[in-house]
Amino acid sequence: MQRKLRLRNREDFSRIYRNGKSFANSQFVVYWSRQLQADPLRLGVSASKKIGNAVVRNRMRRLVKEIVRGQKDRITGQLDLIVIVRKPAVGLELKELEKSMLHVLKRAGLLKTPR
C-alpha cells in the first residue's frame, strides 16, 4: 500500500471503531467507514500480541496489505478500512487468507458487483 493510503493515527482508528460498521469471520474482523477523502481507500491493519511475536505480527500485516493491494479494484471506493487479524489466520497460506478476506468483505457488502 502506498504511504498516503494507510491509516496510522490513533484518532482515525478510534473514529472508525466508534462510528463505523464491522463484520467478522474466524480469521479477520473488518471495521469500515465511508470517507470522502479516502480515495480509493485507506487501510489500517491491527495484529495484537496474542497472535505471536513481532515476526509473526509483521508477516501477517504484510500479507493483509498485499491481499488488499491486489484486490483494490474489487473493493468499493472511498472507504476507511481496518482489518484485525485473529489467531486462526496465522497458520494459513496466502491463497487461504485471500479467500477468507474476500469472504468477509463480500459478507460486509464492500465488494463491487461484477458487471
Side-chain angles (χ1 to χ4, degrees):
M1 296 293 301
Q2 297 173 358
R3 185 174 288 270
K4 66 179 181 176
L5 300 179
R6 284 190 244 156
L7 289 173
R8 310 266 320 210
N9 296 339
R10 181 181 208 79
E11 295 84 27
D12 288 336
F13 275 78
S14 297
R15 177 182 46 79
I16 296 168
Y17 288 140
R18 252 192 341 267
N19 303 325
K21 298 176 184 165
S22 68
F23 196 85
N25 64 10
S26 60
Q27 288 84 22
F28 299 107
V29 179
V30 175
Y31 285 87
W32 74 92
S33 175
R34 300 271 180 210
Q35 291 297 321
L36 296 178
Q37 71 265 26
D39 188 39
L41 73 116
R42 295 189 305 174
L43 175 69
V45 181
S46 176
S48 78
K49 288 186 176 182
K50 293 178 185 178
I51 69 168
N53 61 16
V55 174
V56 173
R57 294 193 309 268
N58 288 329
R59 181 177 185 276
M60 294 309 297
R61 284 189 199 105
R62 284 193 309 270
L63 290 174
V64 169
K65 288 177 191 176
E66 177 63 21
I67 291 168
V68 172
R69 188 190 62 79
Q71 300 294 330
K72 186 170 51 174
D73 54 340
R74 291 184 61 191
I75 300 172
T76 58
Q78 296 186 327
L79 282 178
D80 281 347
L81 187 67
I82 297 175
V83 177
I84 300 173
V85 181
R86 287 184 166 174
K87 182 112 177 133
V90 173
L92 299 180
E93 297 293 324
L94 180 62
K95 283 290 185 192
E96 295 167 323
L97 286 172
E98 186 172 12
K99 184 177 177 183
S100 178
M101 177 67 75
L102 289 175
H103 171 261
V104 76
L105 291 173
K106 181 179 179 184
R107 293 282 310 259
L110 299 177
L111 292 180
K112 293 178 183 173
T113 55
R115 295 179 184 196

